[in-house]
Amino acid sequence: MRDFSSREKKESDGMPVQNNASLQIINVNNIGFGTIRLQPQAYVSQFRYNLEFEDGQLPSIYFAANPTVSNYSMRLRPLHEHGFCPTNGGTRMYFAVAGLQMENPRNALSTNLEQVTGSIYKSKYYVFIKLGVSQTDFIAAIAALQTSSTQMSTQELQEANAAKNVTGATRTVYVNEGTLAGTFWAHKHSGWESGLMGSSANKLYRPMELMDFSIQGGDVAQAQGVGDQYANSLNLIPTDSANVHSGHSLIDPEKLRAYYIAQADPAGTGNITGTEIWNNLFRLGQYQQFHSLYANNGQVSRTEIVPGSQTFPLSMFRYYPSYNRNIDTATMSTTQRQYICSLIGGFVNN
């Protein structure tokens, strides 16, 4: 099997205009925020060490329609274990949360609820901000979080966590320069967990990570509640973590774009730049896109990219170009990244 080039995929009379409502949300003007992974060792050390972004990623982009049109939002996940995938649009409620793993998300955020400052809140063991439902909500929440947070460089954050001496009032941090620029972190005065012997997680900044879940269209007003209605908005949070999507570290739209375009050769093949990847992704919202593969029997399969489709999952590359049960994950990941970059590079704009 091999992926077609953009010239091979392009029809002589041009590609059909995108008519899928979910994919039409993919527009540079509809970006709300992104999520990005840290080095695996950062999570193992409770974020004390290895505070850098993981190499070789194409971070997820979250879009929301203009609320005058709908309250739908969706996620574009370019590179993942399960492949390139745009999700189905729907009405969802989003938070950015710092804290340890939770089993009952509603209880986790509502117990001992207290306002820190502005739109930033804390509960017993969590610091969080409600990002909201709509594009308007996202823009306001990200701006408020940037304004209310302590400004800190990547180096300052790394040094504070390495020394494990983060103290003082509960607060959020916005990283304004360095490799982690655009991410948000938090410190909780009373610690992230309690115990007679203390905790290895305390006295450290933790990243604010995405948490989101589906809500009914009729619940939007409740979800957007502020002031006296803020606590009531938290009643929409599921009690079972299995019904909540947990994402990676929140990154603001400007720095998300900067991360993409800073990659000179994301595929490692010299065929496409990060800038081209970034620009081509939005073509999916304008025109229907297809990918085609040669099968071993010589037949060609041509498939439209639609919401929920998992294109080029990692598991595919144990079997391509030939089955190899001993192939290592790193080699599979490299091949997958090359194929997905080629896929995006083949997106057409007319």
Side-chain angles (χ1 to χ4, degrees):
M1 298 184 293
R2 70 180 180 88
D3 185 40
F4 271 29
S5 71
S6 60
R7 292 184 179 85
E8 290 173 309
K9 288 189 290 185
K10 185 177 178 181
E11 297 178 345
S12 59
D13 57 350
M15 299 299 283
V17 171
Q18 183 60 258
N19 59 8
N20 182 281
S22 294
L23 299 185
Q24 286 173 340
I25 301 174
I26 300 174
N27 184 296
V28 70
N29 296 318
N30 292 341
I31 299 174
F33 48 82
T35 55
I36 191 165
R37 297 190 307 273
L38 300 172
Q39 292 280 1
Q41 297 88 343
Y43 301 97
V44 173
S45 71
Q46 297 283 5
F47 308 105
R48 188 171 182 185
Y49 305 116
N50 301 105
L51 298 189
E52 294 288 354
F53 293 141
E54 185 176 5
D55 295 332
Q57 61 179 305
L58 301 177
S60 289
I61 310 170
Y62 288 78
F63 298 87
N66 187 308
T68 61
V69 177
S70 79
N71 285 308
Y72 273 21
S73 58
M74 60 87 66
R75 173 191 182 193
L76 178 57
R77 193 189 70 199
L79 180 59
H80 186 271
E81 178 184 359
H82 299 298
F84 178 95
C85 182
T87 66
N88 279 291
T91 308
R92 301 184 69 84
M93 189 174 180
Y94 296 82
F95 290 80
V97 183
L100 301 177
Q101 186 174 355
M102 58 181 76
E103 294 185 2
N104 183 329
R106 184 190 302 172
N107 184 65
L109 297 195
S110 60
T111 301
N112 297 346
L113 180 66
E114 184 179 339
Q115 187 176 24
V116 177
T117 181
S119 54
I120 300 168
Y121 281 74
K122 67 178 180 179
S123 57
K124 188 173 183 179
Y125 294 120
Y126 299 88
V127 178
F128 60 94
I129 183 171
K130 183 169 65 178
L131 298 173
V133 174
S134 72
Q135 180 195 49
T136 303
D137 294 343
F138 297 163
I139 293 171
I142 295 294
L145 188 54
Q146 289 173 323
T147 301
S148 301
S149 296
T150 300
Q151 306 293 296
M152 186 175 289
S153 70
T154 296
Q155 183 176 346
E156 289 170 331
L157 176 74
Q158 291 169 334
E159 290 175 350
N161 272 19
K164 204 175 185 295
N165 64 356
V166 183
T167 58
T170 297
R171 61 192 180 275
T172 57
V173 163
Y174 175 65
V175 180
N176 58 8
E177 64 175 296
T179 53
L180 297 177
T183 57
F184 300 87
W185 301 68
H187 163 67
K188 194 165 189 303
H189 172 70
S190 59
W192 300 109
E193 65 179 358
S194 62
L196 294 176
M197 302 302 293
S199 168
S200 61
N202 293 335
K203 294 188 177 182
L204 294 165
Y205 289 111
R206 294 187 70 86
M208 301 193 75
E209 299 177 320
L210 191 66
M211 183 185 91
D212 60 280
F213 48 89
S214 295
I215 62 172
Q216 297 299 312
D219 291 333
V220 171
Q222 180 180 346
Q224 294 173 327
V226 297
D228 294 342
Q229 296 302 310
Y230 189 91
N232 186 45
S233 74
L234 302 186
N235 290 329
L236 293 171
I237 303 174
T239 57
D240 185 349
S241 60
N243 296 321
V244 169
H245 167 251
S246 297
H248 295 290
S249 297
L250 184 74
I251 183 169
D252 73 67
E254 178 185 350
K255 296 301 190 294
L256 173 67
R257 175 181 178 274
Y259 178 87
Y260 267 91
I261 66 176
Q263 298 186 66
D265 184 16
T269 59
N271 293 328
I272 190 167
T273 66
T275 298
E276 291 170 323
I277 291 286
W278 175 259
N279 292 333
N280 278 21
L281 284 171
F282 303 108
R283 295 178 176 182
L284 181 56
Q286 296 177 290
Y287 295 93
Q288 294 174 21
Q289 307 292 341
F290 297 81
H291 73 93
S292 300
L293 293 171
Y294 283 123
N296 291 332
N297 61 5
Q299 298 296 312
V300 176
S301 62
R302 186 171 184 270
T303 306
E304 182 181 356
I305 295 175
V306 296
S309 62
Q310 311 273 10
T311 306
F312 297 145
L314 184 64
S315 58
M316 166 184 169
F317 299 101
R318 184 174 299 282
Y319 300 89
Y320 181 79
S322 60
Y323 176 67
N324 180 359
R325 70 175 183 177
N326 296 318
I327 191 171
D328 60 277
T329 302
T331 301
M332 291 168 63
S333 296
T334 297
T335 307
Q336 181 198 36
R337 185 169 63 254
Q338 291 171 352
Y339 265 67
I340 287 178
C341 286
S342 176
L343 170 75
I344 299 168
F347 287 174
V348 298
N349 65 350
N350 57 56

